[in-house]
């Protein structure tokens, strides 16, 4: 027994040395020598929402436009009700004209054959900085202009006729935007948007997830003065943004922490932020329906594995040094398989509804959900389709 214990101790020592040195550069963070794992200050496991959709209602969704769109992250309809419009992995923003998809706009002036159709959304990652990668989309209902968060090119705008988008913001306080993500617009035309990280670009989003990087920012752009202000800094993967119905506040997502935060624009709390809701997993975008309720697209539920790794960054970095691909490490973090989750909250932050496909049979991932005419239009940065769910 003593010999066996010594053998196990030796094997563990060798494994620890291997992980510390990573001699063959097979780990998922091998290409990031300055990788830092940050602690994710989460709520106790017992406080995470336990409600589930036991019927897996999202499996009733209709898959539309299969293989016609790659990675349709954000879904938008213009002020005349036309659409949807969506941004794709190849850098284009396209428009459904009721019969077919047509090109509407693009963000990069440097498009080339590198942006031609690929087999999957992930196949575009290495060239996204060249082709552009439009993420959050919003229309100004007064002007018809579309505002765009391009992950690499910053905050942009294109007119109602489309074409090449105009750059509005590429830096704030002298720090370049590195992962511009989502936005919304208030009644005065001010744009509130997120920069998910000043360390990692979108093509390294998996490493951003692994690190718990806390360099994300929430920003405001004033189109009249052309000034950009940092409202909140030190955020861990800030993402979706959505105004309340009365425009007194907006909600933004904190991806790593798995929660929604409210930022007050009016009243005695103006300029302050507070926790709005704790989510069952990792949020992407949030959108407001006509009733003022908030639909949140959740990439996946938080697993006990990701919870423990979040609390103990040293352990997380040790495990990331294993000779395991980033894809496998990512699957470990999300519980073994892709599974889409949608949650709806009241304007007061009360959980109203959960829809999910826990088996990942139909809606494997969700990046955004837009409610329109009794239907949920579901986009995904990973999938080659748009899913549509008929509300009951």
């Amino acid at each position: 027994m003593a010999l066996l214990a010594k053998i196990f101790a030796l094997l563990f020592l060798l494994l620890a040395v291997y992980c510390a040195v990573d001699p063959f550069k097979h780990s998922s963070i091998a290409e990031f020598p300055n990788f830092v794992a940050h602690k994710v200050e989460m709520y106790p496991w017992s406080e995470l929402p336990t409600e589930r959709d036991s019927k897996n209602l999202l499996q009733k969704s209709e898959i539309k436009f299969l293989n016609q769109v790659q990675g349709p992250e954000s879904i938008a309809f213009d002020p005349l009700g036309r659409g949807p419009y969506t941004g794709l992995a190849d850098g284009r923003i396209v428009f459904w004209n009721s019969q077919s998809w047509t090109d509407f706009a693009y963000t990069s002036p440097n498009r080339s054959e590198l942006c031609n159709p690929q087999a999957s959304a992930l196949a575009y990652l290495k060239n996204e900085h060249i082709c552009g990668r439009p993420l959050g989309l919003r229309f100004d209902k007064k002007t018809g202009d579309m505002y765009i968060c391009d992950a690499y090119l910053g905050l942009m705008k294109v007119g109602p006729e489309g074409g090449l988008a105009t750059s509005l913001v590429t830096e704030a306080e002298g720090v370049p935007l590195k992962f511009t993500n989502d936005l919304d617009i208030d009644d005065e035309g001010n744009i509130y948007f997120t920069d998910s990280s000043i360390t990692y670009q979108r093509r390294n989003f998996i490493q951003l997830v692994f690190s718990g990087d806390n360099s994300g920012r929430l920003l405001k752009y004033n189109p009249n003065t052309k000034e950009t202000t940092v409202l909140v800094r030190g955020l861990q993967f800030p993402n979706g943004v959505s105004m309340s119905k009365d425009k007194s506040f907006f909600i933004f997502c904190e991806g790593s922490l798995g929660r929604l935060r409210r930022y007050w624009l009016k009243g005695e709390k103006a300029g302050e932020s507070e926790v709005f809701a704790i989510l069952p997993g990792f949020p992407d975008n949030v959108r407001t329906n006509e009733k003022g309720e908030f639909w949140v697209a959740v990439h996946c539920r938080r697993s006990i594995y990701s919870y423990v790794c979040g609390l103990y960054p040293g352990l997380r970095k040790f495990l990331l040094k294993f000779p395991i691909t980033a894809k496998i490490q990512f699957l470990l973090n999300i519980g073994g398989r892709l599974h889409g989750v949608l949650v709806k909250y009241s304007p007061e932050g009360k959980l109203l509804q959960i829809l999910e496909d826990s088996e990942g049979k139909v809606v494997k991932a969700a990046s955004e959900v837009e409610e329109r005419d009794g239907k949920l239009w579901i986009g995904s940065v990973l999938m080659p389709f748009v899913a549509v769910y008929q509300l009951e």
Side-chain angles (χ1 to χ4, degrees):
M1 189 64 108
L3 178 60
L4 190 60
K6 290 181 179 179
I7 292 175
F8 274 115
L10 178 60
L11 290 175
F12 183 81
L13 177 62
L14 291 174
L15 177 62
V17 171
Y18 178 92
C19 291
V21 178
D22 192 13
F24 303 111
K25 306 300 180 186
H26 287 160
S27 77
S28 57
I29 56 173
E31 297 179 9
F32 301 87
N34 298 319
F35 180 89
V36 176
H38 300 266
K39 184 177 182 179
V40 181
E41 296 283 359
M42 294 172 290
Y43 289 84
W45 180 260
S46 60
E47 293 185 20
L48 296 184
T50 58
E51 294 87 349
R52 290 182 176 270
D53 171 14
S54 59
K55 296 181 180 179
N56 278 315
L57 291 174
L58 274 189
Q59 292 183 3
K60 295 182 178 181
S61 301
E62 176 188 1
I63 298 302
K64 297 178 72 70
F65 318 122
L66 182 62
N67 295 323
Q68 297 178 43
V69 288
Q70 287 284 2
E73 156 93 356
S74 187
I75 305 291
F77 294 84
D78 67 25
L80 297 178
R82 298 174 301 186
Y85 296 73
T86 189
L88 303 182
D90 63 14
R92 293 177 298 143
I93 298 169
V94 294
F95 160 61
W96 178 253
N97 63 16
S98 78
Q99 295 183 335
S100 62
W101 290 102
T102 59
D103 290 358
F104 173 71
Y106 51 100
T107 54
S108 172
N110 302 314
R111 295 178 59 79
S112 68
E113 65 278 359
L114 294 174
C115 313
N116 290 343
Q118 303 286 340
S120 72
L122 293 177
Y124 293 93
L125 275 177
K126 63 181 179 180
N127 294 317
E128 282 186 343
H129 61 297
I130 298 171
C131 303
R133 190 24 169 138
L135 297 178
L137 306 177
R138 294 283 193 174
F139 278 99
D140 185 322
K141 295 179 180 179
K142 297 178 182 178
T143 65
D145 292 335
M146 174 187 279
Y147 286 85
I148 307 157
C149 275
D150 185 286
Y152 301 86
L153 303 174
L155 182 65
M156 311 186 80
K157 181 179 77 170
V158 68
E161 302 305 316
L164 178 62
T166 301
S167 175
L168 299 176
V169 183
T170 59
E171 60 86 25
E173 299 180 345
V175 180
L177 304 179
K178 206 156 189 177
F179 190 165
T180 326
N181 207 321
D182 195 32
L183 75 152
D184 205 356
I185 310 168
D186 70 14
D187 285 336
E188 299 175 359
N190 296 304
I191 315 297
Y192 300 90
F193 66 104
T194 51
D195 183 20
S196 293
S197 172
I198 63 173
T199 305
Y200 294 95
Q201 291 188 307
R202 202 201 86 86
R203 53 183 165 170
N204 306 127
F205 74 92
I206 290 183
Q207 284 72 28
L208 171 56
V209 171
F210 291 163
S211 72
D213 174 74
N214 59 2
S215 67
R217 301 179 289 177
L218 174 69
L219 308 103
K220 173 186 176 181
Y221 171 70
N222 184 322
N224 296 318
T225 65
K226 314 299 182 188
E227 292 180 338
T228 303
T229 308
V230 178
L231 301 178
V232 184
R233 66 190 80 237
L235 297 171
Q236 292 177 292
F237 210 149
N239 206 322
V241 181
S242 198
M243 301 292 301
S244 65
K245 186 176 181 178
D246 65 1
K247 302 296 194 294
S248 64
F249 66 90
F250 64 84
I251 296 298
F252 68 96
C253 298
E254 294 183 271
S256 297
L257 291 171
R259 71 184 185 187
L260 302 179
R261 201 153 148 188
R262 169 165 41 198
Y263 189 94
W264 288 98
L265 297 174
K266 300 177 182 178
E268 59 184 26
K269 290 186 177 181
E272 298 179 10
S273 66
E274 61 193 12
V275 176
F276 183 75
I278 303 170
L279 298 166
F282 305 97
D284 198 320
N285 284 352
V286 54
R287 292 294 182 262
T288 312
N289 66 13
E290 291 184 353
K291 296 179 181 179
E293 300 161 337
F294 299 99
W295 277 108
V296 187
V298 178
H299 268 301
C300 63
R301 286 184 174 273
R302 188 183 297 279
S303 66
I304 189 66
Y305 177 86
S306 65
Y307 182 81
V308 172
C309 285
L311 292 176
Y312 301 99
L315 172 64
R316 187 186 340 140
K317 188 170 183 178
F318 174 74
L319 294 173
L320 288 170
K321 285 292 192 84
F322 279 30
I324 300 174
T325 64
K327 180 180 179 180
I328 299 300
Q329 290 279 12
F330 182 69
L331 288 173
L332 287 171
N333 268 273
I334 66 173
R337 63 167 172 257
L338 293 170
H339 55 282
V341 183
L342 308 179
V343 289
K344 184 171 71 171
Y345 287 89
S346 74
E348 296 74 38
K350 179 183 178 182
L351 177 62
L352 298 176
Q353 188 175 6
I354 292 183
L355 298 171
E356 59 187 310
D357 180 358
S358 63
E359 299 170 315
K361 289 184 177 180
V362 180
V363 181
K364 295 183 178 181
S367 297
E368 183 176 301
V369 53
E370 177 78 22
E371 181 178 339
R372 187 172 183 83
D373 299 330
K375 296 179 179 179
L376 298 180
W377 292 77
I378 307 163
S380 169
V381 74
L382 298 174
M383 297 294 110
F385 57 78
V386 174
V388 178
Y389 177 80
Q390 180 69 54
L391 289 168
E392 298 177 354

